Amino acid sequence: MHVRPSYLLAFSFLAAACQEAAVCEEGSVDSNGTCVAPPAAAVQQVRLTHLDVAYDLSKPVYVNNRVPITFGITANSDDPANSGPRNVAVTFSFVEANPSDPQNPLACSSSAINVEVIGDGTEQIVEAYIWPTTQCAALAAKNAEVNLQVDFDGGPELAAEIGSDLDAPSVVFSEARRGDALNQHCRASLNAADPKPGCVHPIRLQPTPTGAEGTLTDVRYALSSSSSVAVLSRQPTEDIGPDGPPDVDPAIIVQSRFVINGRDPYISAVDPSQIPPSLLEAVPSIEEDLKFGLDDAALAALSAPPGKATVSYTIQSAADGMTKLPLTIRDPANPKSRVPEVVVDRIVPGTANDAVHELYLEGAALEAVSPGGAWANQSDFVIRGCFTGEFAQGGNEGDGDLDDCRELEVVLVREASSSSAASSRSFDKEFERKLGNDRIAIESRMSTQNRLDLSGAFSRTEGEVALKGKIGKSFDLTMARAFADASLAVDPTKTSYEVGVDAFGQRIFGVSEQAASIVQTEDFSAAKSFTIGSLGFGFGPVTVGFKIGVGGSIGIALEDTLEALSDSAACQDLLKSAEPITACGRMTRITSPNFGLTGTVEGGVDLKIVKAAVVADLRFITTSFPLDTTLGFGLTGNEKLLVRGDVTWDMSFTPLEGDVSIVGKVGFRRFAKSLKVHLFSFSSPTFETRLLSASMGTPEELQ
């Protein structure tokens, strides 16, 4: 195989540390838990073996409205057992079915879909969207039937320049060619009893619909959550910390998705300061080209709804489909406040725009699910999210439910009181967020456990942040992890302490000690980075290879003391008890893990007729979650074991947010000359919260 470095951004094949058989650093692959140089790609033949248009083709398809498709791609090689992965750009075009000039049919193309294939003969099924862009206007104006055409890696126009040895001919799936051998390889149905060979899908392409105020848009809305459980958190009424109770937890975190039809998917504003120097050098006019002939105001308007737009949420009992009660939302503009609806003021064309919202049970909804309320005995509920636009909408109607409301079925769990038993007392809390989408996502898990029992006092705080996704290939990388355990035992010989900080699967800081008395003061921080390479995404007719870099600071600050005391007055003060105390144990901790990680995305392609680069503004996570706790136990003169504790756990959280695009020039007549292909857009609010605030006013006797 001969591939130019400028095309796939070939990286050095150096062995690198492996991330628990999940992600290897740029230039290496996992082999039985070890990161090694990848095998030479041996894929030699690619065929489209399935193509279905998930759309009611009795209805027209409009220009600049996306069309859902499912396709299967099968790759083969002479040595399947040793075939390495290879990125293949799969491009679908809309082609005039019955052209007046058969030698020059009108055609227009959607940007390529990158698929990583291995030549073992296994069919890969891909779900995707294709767009008939503004370049299709002339074809739509004829109100003629169109068919689909598939090309691989730019087809014959690029084969010579990239030195491709891939056997992957272009195919037009028309009725006239249904019987051709290449067409017969493709089946429209996955039903073996009726495969519908030939994959002919007649499409009626029409101009974008218009209304009184011009071209119509159509915002498609979707709703999801990483959890099917909503939680009614319990606000404590006793043992409340000196600064008041903890902040109320959201009942559920949801993700709303917005896609705008009716605007060219490959035209939107580009920040000129983010255009890489390499692209400016390769295409000196690129900054002006990426204005698409529009002024700044017109460019900005392309990513804004044509009128006021909002999203709001309600809850209803599954047993009561009539009553819907409003949920409140953490205000993205003022995270200390909650609002009944959130304004949607930005929807970048051509991609899914995701926004995370934290939903709260308040007012009538809280009253209904609380003891004595109408839904007090109900556990099955429906969360309903609705997009509301104060503007006329219109577009494709053949791709399913057009309602601007979506529903999630959830189980409502009512939080129990803090654990307290005759033999123990504990103060525990967990925090979890899964933010992003299937391309780029950040998963965060933090927790603390603080326990007093007959063996003594134990405290643990921990946190972990992982980067997951799929852009050409899948990746799953634990970026940072920190934990700090402290155990103060009634038996001093069993008192122990352990701290660990990991970056990208490697231990970068650790403390372990066992002694009757332990004092640990540390402020550790390290700058670390990791690169995930060999990723790819379609741009015009080709795949643009790129890499994601993760970098930033990972650390932990410690002010922890574990000690045994014999001074009765000090023990009485610790336990807030007037009883004589012969001996006691005191644990005081201010333990603060902190992660500050940003993302960089670099890559591009420099061919004669395709020049492009990645433009990204991406933040992964910045968070600290300090634990401030005092746990104590003491033995009285009459052998009673008394315990008392204070625990405060705070968090500052700046989560995943940003945009990633590919911009550049294309010299293919089926594409616009300048393109911006947007592959990721996500927003979520920054906030500070008190997760745990507890203080035992009086000691408790354990038995």
Side-chain angles (χ1 to χ4, degrees), residues 239-274:
D239 293 341
I240 297 172
D243 296 326
D247 295 335
V248 176
D249 291 333
I252 192 169
I253 296 94
V254 300
Q255 197 160 295
S256 279
R257 169 169 288 186
F258 312 95
V259 176
I260 191 164
N261 284 327
R263 290 178 178 164
D264 194 300
Y266 309 134
I267 297 178
S268 59
V270 178
D271 182 349
S273 67
Q274 294 181 358

PDB file of all heavy atoms in Angstrom, residues 239-274:
ATOM      1  N   ASP A 239     -28.121  17.153  62.052  1.00  0.00           N
ATOM      2  CA  ASP A 239     -26.680  17.007  61.792  1.00  0.00           C
ATOM      3  C   ASP A 239     -26.261  17.811  60.565  1.00  0.00           C
ATOM      4  O   ASP A 239     -25.506  17.337  59.701  1.00  0.00           O
ATOM      5  CB  ASP A 239     -26.303  15.533  61.612  1.00  0.00           C
ATOM      6  CG  ASP A 239     -26.464  14.732  62.895  1.00  0.00           C
ATOM      7  OD1 ASP A 239     -26.502  15.359  63.977  1.00  0.00           O
ATOM      8  OD2 ASP A 239     -26.554  13.498  62.814  1.00  0.00           O
ATOM      9  N   ILE A 240     -26.753  19.043  60.481  1.00  0.00           N
ATOM     10  CA  ILE A 240     -26.445  19.913  59.348  1.00  0.00           C
ATOM     11  C   ILE A 240     -25.166  20.684  59.639  1.00  0.00           C
ATOM     12  O   ILE A 240     -24.922  21.121  60.768  1.00  0.00           O
ATOM     13  CB  ILE A 240     -27.614  20.882  59.088  1.00  0.00           C
ATOM     14  CG1 ILE A 240     -28.869  20.082  58.706  1.00  0.00           C
ATOM     15  CG2 ILE A 240     -27.270  21.878  57.986  1.00  0.00           C
ATOM     16  CD1 ILE A 240     -30.116  20.926  58.606  1.00  0.00           C
ATOM     17  N   GLY A 241     -24.338  20.858  58.615  1.00  0.00           N
ATOM     18  CA  GLY A 241     -23.083  21.578  58.769  1.00  0.00           C
ATOM     19  C   GLY A 241     -23.288  23.018  59.197  1.00  0.00           C
ATOM     20  O   GLY A 241     -24.381  23.583  59.036  1.00  0.00           O
ATOM     21  N   PRO A 242     -22.246  23.653  59.742  1.00  0.00           N
ATOM     22  CA  PRO A 242     -22.378  25.016  60.285  1.00  0.00           C
ATOM     23  C   PRO A 242     -22.779  26.057  59.239  1.00  0.00           C
ATOM     24  O   PRO A 242     -23.349  27.091  59.590  1.00  0.00           O
ATOM     25  CB  PRO A 242     -20.983  25.304  60.852  1.00  0.00           C
ATOM     26  CG  PRO A 242     -20.071  24.338  60.162  1.00  0.00           C
ATOM     27  CD  PRO A 242     -20.883  23.122  59.907  1.00  0.00           C
ATOM     28  N   ASP A 243     -22.486  25.813  57.964  1.00  0.00           N
ATOM     29  CA  ASP A 243     -22.850  26.766  56.918  1.00  0.00           C
ATOM     30  C   ASP A 243     -24.150  26.394  56.217  1.00  0.00           C
ATOM     31  O   ASP A 243     -24.466  26.920  55.146  1.00  0.00           O
ATOM     32  CB  ASP A 243     -21.724  26.862  55.883  1.00  0.00           C
ATOM     33  CG  ASP A 243     -20.449  27.429  56.484  1.00  0.00           C
ATOM     34  OD1 ASP A 243     -20.565  28.298  57.372  1.00  0.00           O
ATOM     35  OD2 ASP A 243     -19.357  26.992  56.089  1.00  0.00           O
ATOM     36  N   GLY A 244     -24.896  25.470  56.815  1.00  0.00           N
ATOM     37  CA  GLY A 244     -26.174  25.094  56.236  1.00  0.00           C
ATOM     38  C   GLY A 244     -26.108  23.762  55.516  1.00  0.00           C
ATOM     39  O   GLY A 244     -25.054  23.125  55.421  1.00  0.00           O
ATOM     40  N   PRO A 245     -27.241  23.318  54.984  1.00  0.00           N
ATOM     41  CA  PRO A 245     -27.298  22.007  54.329  1.00  0.00           C
ATOM     42  C   PRO A 245     -26.580  22.025  52.986  1.00  0.00           C
ATOM     43  O   PRO A 245     -26.261  23.090  52.445  1.00  0.00           O
ATOM     44  CB  PRO A 245     -28.803  21.784  54.150  1.00  0.00           C
ATOM     45  CG  PRO A 245     -29.368  23.164  54.050  1.00  0.00           C
ATOM     46  CD  PRO A 245     -28.538  24.014  54.968  1.00  0.00           C
ATOM     47  N   PRO A 246     -26.330  20.858  52.412  1.00  0.00           N
ATOM     48  CA  PRO A 246     -25.725  20.814  51.074  1.00  0.00           C
ATOM     49  C   PRO A 246     -26.699  21.344  50.026  1.00  0.00           C
ATOM     50  O   PRO A 246     -27.906  21.454  50.263  1.00  0.00           O
ATOM     51  CB  PRO A 246     -25.443  19.325  50.871  1.00  0.00           C
ATOM     52  CG  PRO A 246     -26.439  18.626  51.741  1.00  0.00           C
ATOM     53  CD  PRO A 246     -26.610  19.510  52.938  1.00  0.00           C
ATOM     54  N   ASP A 247     -26.162  21.655  48.860  1.00  0.00           N
ATOM     55  CA  ASP A 247     -27.016  22.096  47.761  1.00  0.00           C
ATOM     56  C   ASP A 247     -27.900  20.942  47.297  1.00  0.00           C
ATOM     57  O   ASP A 247     -27.520  19.767  47.367  1.00  0.00           O
ATOM     58  CB  ASP A 247     -26.164  22.589  46.594  1.00  0.00           C
ATOM     59  CG  ASP A 247     -25.372  23.845  46.949  1.00  0.00           C
ATOM     60  OD1 ASP A 247     -25.817  24.579  47.857  1.00  0.00           O
ATOM     61  OD2 ASP A 247     -24.319  24.074  46.332  1.00  0.00           O
ATOM     62  N   VAL A 248     -29.070  21.295  46.808  1.00  0.00           N
ATOM     63  CA  VAL A 248     -29.997  20.283  46.302  1.00  0.00           C
ATOM     64  C   VAL A 248     -29.423  19.678  45.020  1.00  0.00           C
ATOM     65  O   VAL A 248     -28.957  20.393  44.123  1.00  0.00           O
ATOM     66  CB  VAL A 248     -31.377  20.907  46.021  1.00  0.00           C
ATOM     67  CG1 VAL A 248     -32.318  19.876  45.399  1.00  0.00           C
ATOM     68  CG2 VAL A 248     -31.969  21.468  47.307  1.00  0.00           C
ATOM     69  N   ASP A 249     -29.460  18.362  44.934  1.00  0.00           N
ATOM     70  CA  ASP A 249     -28.995  17.678  43.730  1.00  0.00           C
ATOM     71  C   ASP A 249     -30.054  17.756  42.637  1.00  0.00           C
ATOM     72  O   ASP A 249     -31.260  17.733  42.924  1.00  0.00           O
ATOM     73  CB  ASP A 249     -28.716  16.203  44.018  1.00  0.00           C
ATOM     74  CG  ASP A 249     -27.520  16.002  44.918  1.00  0.00           C
ATOM     75  OD1 ASP A 249     -26.625  16.862  44.907  1.00  0.00           O
ATOM     76  OD2 ASP A 249     -27.487  14.982  45.637  1.00  0.00           O
ATOM     77  N   PRO A 250     -29.632  17.797  41.374  1.00  0.00           N
ATOM     78  CA  PRO A 250     -30.619  17.671  40.299  1.00  0.00           C
ATOM     79  C   PRO A 250     -31.262  16.288  40.341  1.00  0.00           C
ATOM     80  O   PRO A 250     -30.635  15.303  40.743  1.00  0.00           O
ATOM     81  CB  PRO A 250     -29.792  17.865  39.025  1.00  0.00           C
ATOM     82  CG  PRO A 250     -28.384  17.538  39.419  1.00  0.00           C
ATOM     83  CD  PRO A 250     -28.256  17.938  40.852  1.00  0.00           C
ATOM     84  N   ALA A 251     -32.518  16.218  39.919  1.00  0.00           N
ATOM     85  CA  ALA A 251     -33.199  14.922  39.880  1.00  0.00           C
ATOM     86  C   ALA A 251     -32.625  14.045  38.779  1.00  0.00           C
ATOM     87  O   ALA A 251     -32.505  12.830  38.933  1.00  0.00           O
ATOM     88  CB  ALA A 251     -34.696  15.128  39.678  1.00  0.00           C
ATOM     89  N   ILE A 252     -32.253  14.665  37.664  1.00  0.00           N
ATOM     90  CA  ILE A 252     -31.699  13.922  36.538  1.00  0.00           C
ATOM     91  C   ILE A 252     -30.965  14.896  35.631  1.00  0.00           C
ATOM     92  O   ILE A 252     -31.295  16.091  35.586  1.00  0.00           O
ATOM     93  CB  ILE A 252     -32.813  13.173  35.762  1.00  0.00           C
ATOM     94  CG1 ILE A 252     -32.210  12.163  34.779  1.00  0.00           C
ATOM     95  CG2 ILE A 252     -33.752  14.145  35.064  1.00  0.00           C
ATOM     96  CD1 ILE A 252     -33.236  11.201  34.184  1.00  0.00           C
ATOM     97  N   ILE A 253     -29.944  14.407  34.952  1.00  0.00           N
ATOM     98  CA  ILE A 253     -29.207  15.206  33.968  1.00  0.00           C
ATOM     99  C   ILE A 253     -29.572  14.677  32.591  1.00  0.00           C
ATOM    100  O   ILE A 253     -29.464  13.474  32.332  1.00  0.00           O
ATOM    101  CB  ILE A 253     -27.686  15.132  34.199  1.00  0.00           C
ATOM    102  CG1 ILE A 253     -27.309  15.747  35.552  1.00  0.00           C
ATOM    103  CG2 ILE A 253     -26.945  15.871  33.099  1.00  0.00           C
ATOM    104  CD1 ILE A 253     -27.211  14.771  36.663  1.00  0.00           C
ATOM    105  N   VAL A 254     -30.026  15.565  31.721  1.00  0.00           N
ATOM    106  CA  VAL A 254     -30.422  15.161  30.373  1.00  0.00           C
ATOM    107  C   VAL A 254     -29.580  15.908  29.352  1.00  0.00           C
ATOM    108  O   VAL A 254     -28.930  16.909  29.658  1.00  0.00           O
ATOM    109  CB  VAL A 254     -31.922  15.426  30.113  1.00  0.00           C
ATOM    110  CG1 VAL A 254     -32.784  14.657  31.091  1.00  0.00           C
ATOM    111  CG2 VAL A 254     -32.233  16.920  30.169  1.00  0.00           C
ATOM    112  N   GLN A 255     -29.618  15.406  28.138  1.00  0.00           N
ATOM    113  CA  GLN A 255     -28.892  16.032  27.038  1.00  0.00           C
ATOM    114  C   GLN A 255     -29.870  16.293  25.902  1.00  0.00           C
ATOM    115  O   GLN A 255     -30.510  15.368  25.401  1.00  0.00           O
ATOM    116  CB  GLN A 255     -27.762  15.119  26.576  1.00  0.00           C
ATOM    117  CG  GLN A 255     -26.704  15.814  25.742  1.00  0.00           C
ATOM    118  CD  GLN A 255     -25.395  15.033  25.730  1.00  0.00           C
ATOM    119  OE1 GLN A 255     -24.742  14.881  26.752  1.00  0.00           O
ATOM    120  NE2 GLN A 255     -25.019  14.536  24.575  1.00  0.00           N
ATOM    121  N   SER A 256     -29.997  17.553  25.536  1.00  0.00           N
ATOM    122  CA  SER A 256     -30.856  17.930  24.415  1.00  0.00           C
ATOM    123  C   SER A 256     -29.998  18.127  23.177  1.00  0.00           C
ATOM    124  O   SER A 256     -28.905  18.696  23.244  1.00  0.00           O
ATOM    125  CB  SER A 256     -31.624  19.212  24.731  1.00  0.00           C
ATOM    126  OG  SER A 256     -32.761  18.934  25.520  1.00  0.00           O
ATOM    127  N   ARG A 257     -30.517  17.650  22.053  1.00  0.00           N
ATOM    128  CA  ARG A 257     -29.776  17.720  20.785  1.00  0.00           C
ATOM    129  C   ARG A 257     -30.606  18.477  19.757  1.00  0.00           C
ATOM    130  O   ARG A 257     -31.805  18.231  19.605  1.00  0.00           O
ATOM    131  CB  ARG A 257     -29.459  16.314  20.286  1.00  0.00           C
ATOM    132  CG  ARG A 257     -28.926  16.253  18.867  1.00  0.00           C
ATOM    133  CD  ARG A 257     -28.387  14.873  18.532  1.00  0.00           C
ATOM    134  NE  ARG A 257     -27.126  14.634  19.235  1.00  0.00           N
ATOM    135  CZ  ARG A 257     -26.365  13.555  19.039  1.00  0.00           C
ATOM    136  NH1 ARG A 257     -26.755  12.612  18.193  1.00  0.00           N
ATOM    137  NH2 ARG A 257     -25.230  13.416  19.693  1.00  0.00           N
ATOM    138  N   PHE A 258     -29.934  19.385  19.048  1.00  0.00           N
ATOM    139  CA  PHE A 258     -30.600  20.209  18.046  1.00  0.00           C
ATOM    140  C   PHE A 258     -29.846  20.100  16.718  1.00  0.00           C
ATOM    141  O   PHE A 258     -28.624  20.248  16.678  1.00  0.00           O
ATOM    142  CB  PHE A 258     -30.635  21.675  18.488  1.00  0.00           C
ATOM    143  CG  PHE A 258     -31.107  21.872  19.905  1.00  0.00           C
ATOM    144  CD1 PHE A 258     -30.196  21.984  20.946  1.00  0.00           C
ATOM    145  CD2 PHE A 258     -32.457  21.919  20.202  1.00  0.00           C
ATOM    146  CE1 PHE A 258     -30.615  22.155  22.258  1.00  0.00           C
ATOM    147  CE2 PHE A 258     -32.891  22.088  21.513  1.00  0.00           C
ATOM    148  CZ  PHE A 258     -31.973  22.208  22.538  1.00  0.00           C
ATOM    149  N   VAL A 259     -30.578  19.840  15.655  1.00  0.00           N
ATOM    150  CA  VAL A 259     -30.022  19.826  14.301  1.00  0.00           C
ATOM    151  C   VAL A 259     -30.898  20.733  13.451  1.00  0.00           C
ATOM    152  O   VAL A 259     -32.129  20.632  13.499  1.00  0.00           O
ATOM    153  CB  VAL A 259     -30.002  18.404  13.704  1.00  0.00           C
ATOM    154  CG1 VAL A 259     -29.511  18.440  12.262  1.00  0.00           C
ATOM    155  CG2 VAL A 259     -29.128  17.480  14.544  1.00  0.00           C
ATOM    156  N   ILE A 260     -30.272  21.615  12.684  1.00  0.00           N
ATOM    157  CA  ILE A 260     -31.057  22.542  11.871  1.00  0.00           C
ATOM    158  C   ILE A 260     -30.994  22.143  10.402  1.00  0.00           C
ATOM    159  O   ILE A 260     -29.921  22.000   9.816  1.00  0.00           O
ATOM    160  CB  ILE A 260     -30.593  24.009  12.085  1.00  0.00           C
ATOM    161  CG1 ILE A 260     -31.587  24.974  11.443  1.00  0.00           C
ATOM    162  CG2 ILE A 260     -29.171  24.241  11.600  1.00  0.00           C
ATOM    163  CD1 ILE A 260     -31.447  26.408  11.923  1.00  0.00           C
ATOM    164  N   ASN A 261     -32.162  21.898   9.827  1.00  0.00           N
ATOM    165  CA  ASN A 261     -32.307  21.670   8.393  1.00  0.00           C
ATOM    166  C   ASN A 261     -32.660  22.986   7.707  1.00  0.00           C
ATOM    167  O   ASN A 261     -33.216  23.896   8.324  1.00  0.00           O
ATOM    168  CB  ASN A 261     -33.425  20.654   8.120  1.00  0.00           C
ATOM    169  CG  ASN A 261     -33.008  19.227   8.414  1.00  0.00           C
ATOM    170  OD1 ASN A 261     -31.854  18.862   8.240  1.00  0.00           O
ATOM    171  ND2 ASN A 261     -33.954  18.418   8.863  1.00  0.00           N
ATOM    172  N   GLY A 262     -32.358  23.066   6.420  1.00  0.00           N
ATOM    173  CA  GLY A 262     -32.718  24.251   5.650  1.00  0.00           C
ATOM    174  C   GLY A 262     -31.572  25.218   5.444  1.00  0.00           C
ATOM    175  O   GLY A 262     -31.720  26.216   4.736  1.00  0.00           O
ATOM    176  N   ARG A 263     -30.418  24.938   6.062  1.00  0.00           N
ATOM    177  CA  ARG A 263     -29.218  25.745   5.853  1.00  0.00           C
ATOM    178  C   ARG A 263     -28.097  24.841   5.372  1.00  0.00           C
ATOM    179  O   ARG A 263     -28.003  23.681   5.797  1.00  0.00           O
ATOM    180  CB  ARG A 263     -28.812  26.460   7.148  1.00  0.00           C
ATOM    181  CG  ARG A 263     -29.790  27.560   7.533  1.00  0.00           C
ATOM    182  CD  ARG A 263     -29.408  28.226   8.821  1.00  0.00           C
ATOM    183  NE  ARG A 263     -30.341  29.312   9.146  1.00  0.00           N
ATOM    184  CZ  ARG A 263     -30.453  29.876  10.332  1.00  0.00           C
ATOM    185  NH1 ARG A 263     -29.677  29.466  11.328  1.00  0.00           N
ATOM    186  NH2 ARG A 263     -31.315  30.850  10.541  1.00  0.00           N
ATOM    187  N   ASP A 264     -27.265  25.386   4.508  1.00  0.00           N
ATOM    188  CA  ASP A 264     -26.179  24.576   3.964  1.00  0.00           C
ATOM    189  C   ASP A 264     -25.331  24.026   5.108  1.00  0.00           C
ATOM    190  O   ASP A 264     -24.843  24.787   5.954  1.00  0.00           O
ATOM    191  CB  ASP A 264     -25.311  25.411   3.020  1.00  0.00           C
ATOM    192  CG  ASP A 264     -24.393  24.539   2.185  1.00  0.00           C
ATOM    193  OD1 ASP A 264     -23.570  23.808   2.777  1.00  0.00           O
ATOM    194  OD2 ASP A 264     -24.489  24.583   0.943  1.00  0.00           O
ATOM    195  N   PRO A 265     -25.153  22.703   5.162  1.00  0.00           N
ATOM    196  CA  PRO A 265     -24.437  22.113   6.301  1.00  0.00           C
ATOM    197  C   PRO A 265     -22.957  22.453   6.344  1.00  0.00           C
ATOM    198  O   PRO A 265     -22.311  22.251   7.376  1.00  0.00           O
ATOM    199  CB  PRO A 265     -24.641  20.609   6.094  1.00  0.00           C
ATOM    200  CG  PRO A 265     -24.846  20.462   4.620  1.00  0.00           C
ATOM    201  CD  PRO A 265     -25.604  21.686   4.206  1.00  0.00           C
ATOM    202  N   TYR A 266     -22.417  22.976   5.242  1.00  0.00           N
ATOM    203  CA  TYR A 266     -20.978  23.202   5.173  1.00  0.00           C
ATOM    204  C   TYR A 266     -20.626  24.686   5.075  1.00  0.00           C
ATOM    205  O   TYR A 266     -19.529  25.043   4.648  1.00  0.00           O
ATOM    206  CB  TYR A 266     -20.385  22.432   3.989  1.00  0.00           C
ATOM    207  CG  TYR A 266     -20.786  20.970   3.981  1.00  0.00           C
ATOM    208  CD1 TYR A 266     -21.221  20.339   2.826  1.00  0.00           C
ATOM    209  CD2 TYR A 266     -20.751  20.221   5.160  1.00  0.00           C
ATOM    210  CE1 TYR A 266     -21.603  19.001   2.826  1.00  0.00           C
ATOM    211  CE2 TYR A 266     -21.133  18.888   5.173  1.00  0.00           C
ATOM    212  CZ  TYR A 266     -21.559  18.285   4.016  1.00  0.00           C
ATOM    213  OH  TYR A 266     -21.941  16.959   4.030  1.00  0.00           O
ATOM    214  N   ILE A 267     -21.572  25.536   5.496  1.00  0.00           N
ATOM    215  CA  ILE A 267     -21.313  26.975   5.504  1.00  0.00           C
ATOM    216  C   ILE A 267     -21.711  27.534   6.862  1.00  0.00           C
ATOM    217  O   ILE A 267     -22.883  27.513   7.246  1.00  0.00           O
ATOM    218  CB  ILE A 267     -22.097  27.706   4.392  1.00  0.00           C
ATOM    219  CG1 ILE A 267     -21.655  27.220   3.009  1.00  0.00           C
ATOM    220  CG2 ILE A 267     -21.906  29.208   4.504  1.00  0.00           C
ATOM    221  CD1 ILE A 267     -22.419  27.867   1.861  1.00  0.00           C
ATOM    222  N   SER A 268     -20.743  28.016   7.619  1.00  0.00           N
ATOM    223  CA  SER A 268     -20.986  28.716   8.880  1.00  0.00           C
ATOM    224  C   SER A 268     -19.718  29.469   9.248  1.00  0.00           C
ATOM    225  O   SER A 268     -18.663  29.281   8.635  1.00  0.00           O
ATOM    226  CB  SER A 268     -21.396  27.744   9.998  1.00  0.00           C
ATOM    227  OG  SER A 268     -20.405  26.768  10.224  1.00  0.00           O
ATOM    228  N   ALA A 269     -19.829  30.338  10.242  1.00  0.00           N
ATOM    229  CA  ALA A 269     -18.726  31.235  10.582  1.00  0.00           C
ATOM    230  C   ALA A 269     -17.505  30.462  11.082  1.00  0.00           C
ATOM    231  O   ALA A 269     -17.622  29.457  11.786  1.00  0.00           O
ATOM    232  CB  ALA A 269     -19.176  32.235  11.637  1.00  0.00           C
ATOM    233  N   VAL A 270     -16.328  30.952  10.723  1.00  0.00           N
ATOM    234  CA  VAL A 270     -15.049  30.397  11.173  1.00  0.00           C
ATOM    235  C   VAL A 270     -14.252  31.521  11.825  1.00  0.00           C
ATOM    236  O   VAL A 270     -14.108  32.603  11.244  1.00  0.00           O
ATOM    237  CB  VAL A 270     -14.250  29.805   9.993  1.00  0.00           C
ATOM    238  CG1 VAL A 270     -12.894  29.287  10.471  1.00  0.00           C
ATOM    239  CG2 VAL A 270     -15.037  28.701   9.309  1.00  0.00           C
ATOM    240  N   ASP A 271     -13.753  31.270  13.023  1.00  0.00           N
ATOM    241  CA  ASP A 271     -12.894  32.247  13.694  1.00  0.00           C
ATOM    242  C   ASP A 271     -11.544  32.257  12.975  1.00  0.00           C
ATOM    243  O   ASP A 271     -10.811  31.266  13.008  1.00  0.00           O
ATOM    244  CB  ASP A 271     -12.711  31.852  15.157  1.00  0.00           C
ATOM    245  CG  ASP A 271     -11.874  32.857  15.940  1.00  0.00           C
ATOM    246  OD1 ASP A 271     -11.257  33.743  15.316  1.00  0.00           O
ATOM    247  OD2 ASP A 271     -11.830  32.742  17.179  1.00  0.00           O
ATOM    248  N   PRO A 272     -11.187  33.358  12.306  1.00  0.00           N
ATOM    249  CA  PRO A 272      -9.941  33.360  11.525  1.00  0.00           C
ATOM    250  C   PRO A 272      -8.698  33.128  12.374  1.00  0.00           C
ATOM    251  O   PRO A 272      -7.689  32.627  11.865  1.00  0.00           O
ATOM    252  CB  PRO A 272      -9.931  34.750  10.876  1.00  0.00           C
ATOM    253  CG  PRO A 272     -10.881  35.577  11.676  1.00  0.00           C
ATOM    254  CD  PRO A 272     -11.913  34.636  12.195  1.00  0.00           C
ATOM    255  N   SER A 273      -8.762  33.462  13.669  1.00  0.00           N
ATOM    256  CA  SER A 273      -7.587  33.264  14.529  1.00  0.00           C
ATOM    257  C   SER A 273      -7.295  31.787  14.766  1.00  0.00           C
ATOM    258  O   SER A 273      -6.205  31.432  15.221  1.00  0.00           O
ATOM    259  CB  SER A 273      -7.791  33.971  15.869  1.00  0.00           C
ATOM    260  OG  SER A 273      -8.824  33.351  16.621  1.00  0.00           O
ATOM    261  N   GLN A 274      -8.270  30.911  14.478  1.00  0.00           N
ATOM    262  CA  GLN A 274      -8.077  29.483  14.710  1.00  0.00           C
ATOM    263  C   GLN A 274      -7.659  28.725  13.450  1.00  0.00           C
ATOM    264  O   GLN A 274      -7.424  27.520  13.506  1.00  0.00           O
ATOM    265  CB  GLN A 274      -9.365  28.878  15.273  1.00  0.00           C
ATOM    266  CG  GLN A 274      -9.717  29.395  16.661  1.00  0.00           C
ATOM    267  CD  GLN A 274     -10.974  28.755  17.208  1.00  0.00           C
ATOM    268  OE1 GLN A 274     -11.620  27.949  16.548  1.00  0.00           O
ATOM    269  NE2 GLN A 274     -11.335  29.111  18.423  1.00  0.00           N
TER     270      GLN A 274
END
